[in-house]
């Protein structure tokens, strides 16, 4: 028969901290296990990952290195609970608040040993962030630290120190920053400048995130902060130099200060010797703003126009005009100097006017329009009358138009929902050669340029690619330009460092800049929202995203002359 012996008085207790002290007191490594448990006592949120907790444990037992702490971790698990983080990493937290309070008050067995200060805890946590020279690599830091370092910094009275680290600003959660700036006593302007109204796109890598913050700083009128955020931009990369709600300055969103809905089209012109941008979109408004000075409100052209799909600019008798195409199937002409409509709307299309371009024919300016009715029409802006018969051949809506010159003769290039690119002779009113095929999606945009003196056409499509074409031969040049992850809606051509480049804008949401000679990507520009329009200006690349515009310039850098597989042969 078994007899149960009663323990001596005082041998047992129901007090959890006392149970912990008794347990650790009989273990050979009790002091080190205690230090391991003291680390998650300082955890925030759901718990602390091992790659942070084990280095922190060394603060409570100076002779405990992370390797030894990892070996002892299984002996400490009885007193902790583990919860998986969103990426599957286990987060450790003590099993009872009584243990948390006890180990914060007494992280070492010796009650007289003292408690590390919050500053010492912060220093140990910051030590978990790798360095590259003098800079902390927040882009490689534990997600736990990115989420909670501000809490530890505030407890240590060093919140401003962390917020002054632009590498942290480029990686930290924007949802946490407004209140942190306020608690740190930092200026409202700076706080507003570095915090997005909504978080940036998921998966933004830190260098791109830093440029998003700089773009937002410009949009909110803090150019000094934008320059500070831009200072680590790599040579050869693009950086934002201005931004705004289509005014390129600090201004609230809304119809009185910018477009109230997404910008779908834009074109540049010169009015009275000054560069301007004309924009239109889903808010039925057409706006004209100067690019050489901050122009927060600019001017709205006289009347609302239903959903502007396309804009093109030209000069008629020395006066700049803009042509707009909209969902009422009409094309309108506007005097940009007087900011008034010229004549009555040009009608004839039976579908939305979705594409526009301008060229000259027999020495006279003409406007070319494409429509959802699958036709192309030409118009005389002097007489405000159609020229010739519609150009037919596409089997789907015409979404894109561009003009260039082949062998001294003007030609029109069109892109359609049928996936083809066509070349037309406007003088003869007929197609030139066979349709150019290769895209497997809607051709959304076209642009023309020359590469080493040779005319080329660049197309952007819903198959997430851009292609370069020889309009004379009607054949593709090199391989498709790939990298976008969604529909490519915009393309523009320009010159950077004496080399021909194309810029594309997509739903992914990025803009990309391509060296057409080498057939390679020059830069990827992360945007806060998809881009449906972009153009090159003397100051840089102007990109429309959502209701806003951003202006970017490339950092000086030598461009490699090595030709890639997709280059123009």
């Amino acid at each position: 028969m078994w007899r149960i012996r009663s323990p001596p008085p005082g041998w047992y207790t129901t007090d959890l901290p006392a149970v912990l002290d008794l347990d650790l007191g009989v273990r050979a490594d009790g002091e080190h296990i205690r230090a391991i448990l003291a680390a998650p006592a300082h955890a925030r949120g759901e718990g602390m990952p091992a790659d942070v907790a084990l280095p922190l444990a060394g603060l409570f037992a100076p002779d405990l290195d992370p390797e030894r702490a990892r070996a002892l971790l299984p002996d400490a698990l009885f007193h902790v609970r583990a919860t998986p983080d969103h990426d599957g990493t286990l987060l450790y937290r003590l099993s009872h608040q009584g243990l948390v309070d006890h180990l914060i008050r007494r992280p070492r067995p010796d009650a007289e040993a003292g408690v590390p200060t919050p500053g010492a805890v912060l220093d140990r946590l910051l030590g978990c962030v790798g360095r590259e020279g003098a800079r902390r690599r927040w882009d490689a830091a534990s997600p736990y630290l990115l989420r909670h370092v501000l809490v530890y910094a505030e407890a240590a009275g060093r919140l401003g120190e962390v917020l002054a680290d632009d590498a942290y600003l480029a990686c930290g959660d924007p949802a946490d920053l407004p209140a942190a700036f306020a608690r740190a006593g930092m200026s409202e302007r700076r706080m507003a400048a570095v915090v997005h109204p909504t978080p940036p796109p998921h998966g933004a890598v830190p260098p791109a995130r830093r440029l998003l913050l700089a773009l937002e700083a410009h949009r909110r009128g803090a150019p000094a902060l934008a320059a500070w955020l831009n200072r680590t931009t790599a040579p050869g990369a693009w950086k934002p130099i201005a931004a705004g709600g289509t005014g390129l300055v600090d201004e609230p969103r809304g119809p009185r200060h910018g477009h109230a809905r997404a910008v779908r089209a834009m074109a540049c012109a010169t009015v009275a010797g000054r560069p301007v941008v004309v924009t239109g979109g889903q808010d039925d408004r057409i706006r004209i703003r100067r690019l050489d000075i901050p122009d927060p409100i600019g001017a709205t052209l006289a009347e609302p126009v239903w959903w502007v799909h396309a804009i093109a600019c030209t000069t008629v008798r020395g006066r700049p005009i803009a042509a707009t195409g909209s969902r009422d199937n009409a094309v309108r002409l506007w005097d940009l100097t007087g900011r008034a409509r010229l004549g009555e709307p040009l009608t004839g299309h039976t579908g939305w006017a979705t594409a526009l371009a301008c060229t000259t024919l027999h020495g006279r300016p003409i406007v070319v329009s494409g429509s959802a009715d699958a036709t192309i029409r030409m118009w005389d802006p002097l007489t405000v009358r159609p020229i010739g018969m519609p150009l037919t051949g596409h089997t789907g809506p015409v979404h894109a138009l561009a003009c260039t010159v082949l062998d001294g003769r003007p030609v029109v290039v069109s892109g359609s929902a049928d996936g083809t690119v066509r070349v037309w002779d406007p003088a003869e009113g007929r197609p030139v050669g066979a349709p150019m095929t290769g895209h497997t999606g809607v051709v959304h945009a076209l642009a023309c340029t020359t590469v080493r003196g040779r005319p080329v056409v660049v197309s952007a499509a819903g198959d997430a690619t851009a292609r370069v074409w020889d309009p004379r031969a009607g054949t593709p040049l090199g391989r498709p330009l790939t990298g976008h992850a969604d529909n490519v809606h915009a393309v523009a051509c320009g010159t950077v460092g004496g080399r021909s480049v194309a810029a594309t804008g997509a739903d992914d949401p990025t803009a990309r800049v391509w060296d057409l000679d080498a057939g390679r990507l020059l830069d990827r520009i992360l945007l806060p929202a998809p881009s449906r329009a972009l153009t090159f200006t003397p100051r840089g690349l102007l990109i429309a995203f959502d209701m806003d515009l951003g202006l970017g310039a490339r950092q000086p850098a030598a461009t490699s002359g090595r030709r890639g597989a997709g280059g123009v042969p």
Side-chain angles (χ1 to χ4, degrees), residues 17-35 37 75-76 79 102-103 107 109:
V19 170
L20 176 68
D21 290 342
L22 285 171
D23 178 35
L24 298 181
V26 298
R27 291 174 180 254
D29 288 306
E31 181 177 352
H32 287 163
I33 296 172
R34 187 184 195 94
L37 293 171
D75 295 330
H79 300 284
H102 178 60
L103 287 171

Side-chain angles (χ1 to χ4, degrees), residues 84-293:
D85 203 352
H86 60 83
D87 62 354
T89 302
L90 290 179
L91 302 176
Y92 297 99
R93 192 170 183 83
L94 293 180
S95 59
H96 195 277
Q97 185 62 37
L99 297 180
V100 173
D101 297 338
H102 178 60
L103 287 171
I104 287 179
R105 289 193 305 265
R106 190 180 168 188
R108 301 183 177 101
D110 183 358
E112 305 298 324
V115 177
T117 65
V121 173
L122 178 64
D123 286 336
R124 185 59 66 119
L125 295 177
L126 293 177
C128 297
V129 182
R131 286 182 176 270
E132 186 175 302
R135 297 176 61 81
R136 289 193 176 97
R137 287 289 310 276
W138 285 103
D139 58 317
S142 164
Y144 173 84
L145 287 177
L146 290 173
R147 287 196 296 264
H148 300 296
V149 69
L150 294 179
V151 177
Y152 293 103
E154 186 170 13
R158 293 160 56 185
L159 192 54
E161 174 188 327
V162 176
L163 292 173
D165 185 343
D166 66 316
Y168 171 73
L169 293 179
C171 301
D173 187 346
D176 295 336
L177 295 178
F181 271 101
R183 293 195 303 272
M186 304 178 90
S187 72
E188 290 185 6
R189 172 163 290 238
R190 182 174 172 201
M191 176 184 70
V194 300
V195 180
H196 280 282
T198 56
H202 178 69
V205 295
R209 169 71 183 280
R210 186 177 294 111
L211 294 185
L212 280 177
L213 293 171
L215 185 67
E216 186 70 8
H218 276 300
R219 201 188 75 80
R220 298 188 176 222
L225 178 62
W228 177 61
L229 289 164
N230 274 331
R231 73 184 192 275
T232 57
T233 302
W238 290 76
K239 66 175 183 178
I241 59 174
T246 64
L248 307 187
V249 294
D250 181 22
E251 56 179 274
R253 301 181 178 197
R256 293 185 59 246
H257 297 277
H259 286 285
R261 297 182 68 189
V263 175
R264 308 282 297 201
M266 66 179 175
C268 291
T270 301
V271 178
R274 302 183 179 96
V276 302
V277 60
V278 184
T279 55
Q282 296 176 209
D283 64 353
D284 306 338
R285 297 288 177 175
I286 303 164
R287 292 184 173 271
I288 175 172
R289 285 176 172 75
R290 288 175 61 177
L291 288 173
D292 57 335
I293 62 169

